[in-house]
Amino acid sequence: MEINPALEAQVGAWAEAQLSPERVTHVRGVVTTAARLAARYAPQETSRVRLAAWIHDVAKDWDDARLLAYAEAQHLPITPTEREVPLLLHGAVSYALAAERFDLDDPLLRDEMAAAGPERAARFSWQRAARETLSVYRSIMQP
């Protein structure tokens, strides 16, 4: 699969048609920022990064039942955490939708978009919140 400006334009127009006006503004900002970062740190990946930025939130506004149903119907891997918080599936579902619509087959893009939700969730565990809260309390209590 070759990612070229014509494909990006098609994907961008499709993504915008799927999104709320507020989400379109966000995604356009992500595309711009991601492209700048890629140009600086991974210029050979700029096209792929821009494509991912267009796709990443296509299913973000779907409700939990719809995300789970689509993921199950497409046989996407679903972790226990994603079953508990289906919003974490939105990246994987967004890629699957784009892959189906545009015949995309990019394992790196697919895997990175699928991993983004669980990776973000791991940063916000109850255990971590408790540790950080306890640390603040201890710092306040020390003379």
Side-chain angles (χ1 to χ4, degrees):
M1 171 199 66
E2 179 188 344
I3 301 172
N4 56 50
L7 175 62
E8 183 188 337
Q10 291 174 342
V11 170
W14 168 79
E16 287 190 0
Q18 310 303 308
L19 301 168
S20 67
E22 297 82 15
R23 184 90 38 217
V24 167
T25 300
H26 162 74
V27 168
R28 286 178 181 167
V30 171
V31 170
T32 300
T33 301
R36 287 182 184 149
L37 289 169
R40 182 169 186 173
Y41 297 107
Q44 71 284 2
E45 295 294 338
T46 301
S47 295
R48 177 183 274 146
V49 168
R50 288 179 60 86
L51 197 66
W54 280 117
I55 295 168
H56 83 281
D57 268 356
V58 165
K60 178 84 179 241
D61 293 330
W62 286 19
D63 64 40
D64 290 350
R66 186 175 179 195
L67 284 165
L68 272 173
Y70 185 87
E72 289 169 345
Q74 296 300 311
H75 307 288
L76 300 178
I78 304 171
T79 67
T81 303
E82 290 167 327
R83 284 204 180 277
E84 191 174 320
V85 184
L87 181 61
L88 298 173
L89 289 165
H90 82 273
V93 168
S94 295
Y95 176 81
L97 289 164
E100 182 179 349
R101 175 77 167 83
F102 297 99
D103 198 28
L104 300 179
D105 183 20
D106 188 324
L108 178 62
L109 192 57
R110 179 196 63 228
D111 294 347
E112 290 298 320
M113 292 184 76
E119 287 173 3
R120 176 171 284 160
R123 293 188 303 223
F124 300 103
S125 70
W126 284 113
Q127 292 82 9
R128 179 177 173 197
R131 275 194 315 274
E132 290 177 2
T133 302
L134 183 58
S135 175
V136 169
Y137 286 159
R138 285 181 177 153
S139 70
I140 292 170
M141 300 300 285
Q142 292 180 358

